[in-house]
Structure formats: C-alpha cells, structure tokens
Amino acid sequence: MSTQSPPSTMALFGTSADPPTIGHQAILAGLAQRYPMVATWASDNPLKHHGAPLAVRCQLLQAVVDGLKTRIPQGRRLELRQDFSSSRALESVQAARACFPSARLLFVVGVDLLPQILNWYQAAELLRCCCLAVVPRNNWPGQEQAMAQLRAAGTPLEALPLRIPSVASSQIRQRPDPALVPKDVLPVLASRGLYGFTAHDVRAHAARQ
C-alpha cells in the first residue's frame, strides 16, 4: 500500500497480462515518466480464454513493476493495485476513486479498443468518472479518426506521445519468444513452464545479450 501523499493525477492501467510483454513494460515506464502515480493490475477479460490463472498473471505483472522500480528514476511512482482489478472498467475506476477521491483519473487504453468503448458496461458513467488516455500503435489504421469521433461525442480523451514496441501477448501465446517479454518475467515463466517457455529459452536468450 502506498505511503505517498495523494497524487494530483493518477494513471490507471489494467491489463490481462497474458503474459506481460515489453510493450506493457514500455507503457508503464512511459506513464511513470508523465504522471505522479501509476496504478496497474491484472484482470480477466470476459471475451478471452487466458493462458494462466489471474493470480499467476498478477505475479508476472508484479515482476515487471518491481523491475522498473529498480531501473528507472520514476519507478517509485508505479504500484500494483490488484484491489482495483475487475472485468469491468467502471468498477476499476470506482475502486480507484474510493481510494483517491481528489485525484484526476486517467484510464489508459490501447487505440485498438476505441471502437468498443461506447459499448462497454455503463460507458457513459465510466467516461463521466475519468479521462481516457490513449496509447497509440504504429501504423494502426484509423486511429486518428477513432479518437476524433470520440472527442466529437464529448469523450474526454488524451493521446499519449509514447513509442511502444509492436508486440502483442497473443504473439507470445502462439510462439514463445524471450525477446518479447521483460527479462524480470522470464524466470517465472520458465520455472512454471508458462506459455511454452523453458529454462533453455532463458539461458539461450541470456547468452545472446
């Protein structure tokens, strides 16, 4: 639990972390450089079949957070807040609001999710409670149009000037590649045989560094 003074702005980044990628790591690092506090959590996506239980994905995400805390000056701004976890974005935002009633809340989403947002559970209430912070994707078709449409509908929205590696968790689930996951996560993946990773993968990847 944080002992910091209440933040003026808080970035909220929920992810299925199935598994966490170097993209997730880059998002967290970029958010920590921009905002006084960043809360992240692992969550279940009701539309997906996950490759590991939620408790395990939470452990993997914690390893990413712990690694960033030791490597970047702003890492102390990062917190794993699993108590914010919910399959509904509104419930996560409400949990954050209950803990930080005076903070400006930014709910971080990938640009690929923008077409879905107005169909989410109680979307109007969600957008009343927070501002969307949108993570761009390189060469993602229609992202400017999608943001413009949401803004035209009155949606509070910020585009984040972040450069994120083009990698998705689904790629790793299909073909495990140690280069695409944070190095802090590799030992856990290998020791548990998660997502097809083995101790040999870890050793081979380390030898190439």
Side-chain angles (χ1 to χ4, degrees):
M1 194 67 63
S2 173
T3 58
Q4 302 175 28
S5 59
S8 57
T9 300
M10 182 182 220
L12 305 173
F13 180 52
T15 172
S16 57
D18 192 28
T21 70
I22 56 173
H24 294 109
Q25 184 182 52
I27 290 170
L28 288 170
L31 292 173
Q33 290 168 359
R34 292 182 59 83
Y35 301 112
M37 186 171 181
V38 180
T40 187
W41 61 89
S43 60
D44 283 331
N45 185 327
L47 302 179
K48 293 181 180 179
H49 174 73
H50 297 293
L54 180 60
V56 173
R57 289 181 277 122
C58 174
Q59 181 183 2
L60 296 174
L61 190 58
Q62 180 72 72
V64 179
V65 170
D66 290 346
L68 287 171
K69 282 180 178 289
T70 65
R71 290 193 186 93
I72 64 172
Q74 302 87 355
R76 58 184 175 76
R77 300 175 177 178
L78 296 169
E79 284 197 19
L80 184 78
R81 292 298 304 253
Q82 197 58 23
D83 53 323
F84 293 173
S85 178
S86 173
S87 60
R88 291 172 168 173
L90 175 61
E91 292 176 353
S92 293
V93 171
Q94 288 173 332
R97 173 62 68 209
C99 292
F100 299 94
S102 63
R104 175 175 177 254
L105 300 180
L106 297 174
F107 190 77
V108 180
V109 296
V111 71
D112 55 308
L113 295 179
L114 293 186
Q116 308 172 16
I117 286 174
L118 295 180
N119 294 320
W120 284 2
Y121 172 77
Q122 293 190 17
E125 178 63 14
L126 169 67
L127 298 174
R128 188 189 68 78
C129 295
C130 65
C131 175
L132 294 182
V134 180
V135 178
R137 284 194 177 186
N138 292 335
N139 302 316
W140 187 264
Q143 56 185 321
E144 294 298 331
Q145 180 182 3
M147 286 189 283
Q149 289 174 341
L150 282 172
R151 285 192 177 109
T155 302
L157 184 152
E158 289 186 14
L160 298 173
L162 304 179
R163 291 185 176 273
I164 306 301
S166 296
V167 56
S169 295
S170 57
Q171 292 175 247
I172 299 169
R173 293 196 300 270
Q174 294 166 9
R175 183 183 179 189
D177 183 346
L180 300 183
V181 297
K183 66 178 183 179
D184 302 287
V185 170
L186 275 174
V188 182
L189 295 175
S191 66
R192 297 194 176 202
L194 296 170
Y195 303 99
F197 284 92
T198 66
H200 172 75
D201 293 324
V202 177
R203 291 193 297 269
H205 180 64
R208 293 194 295 268
Q209 300 303 299

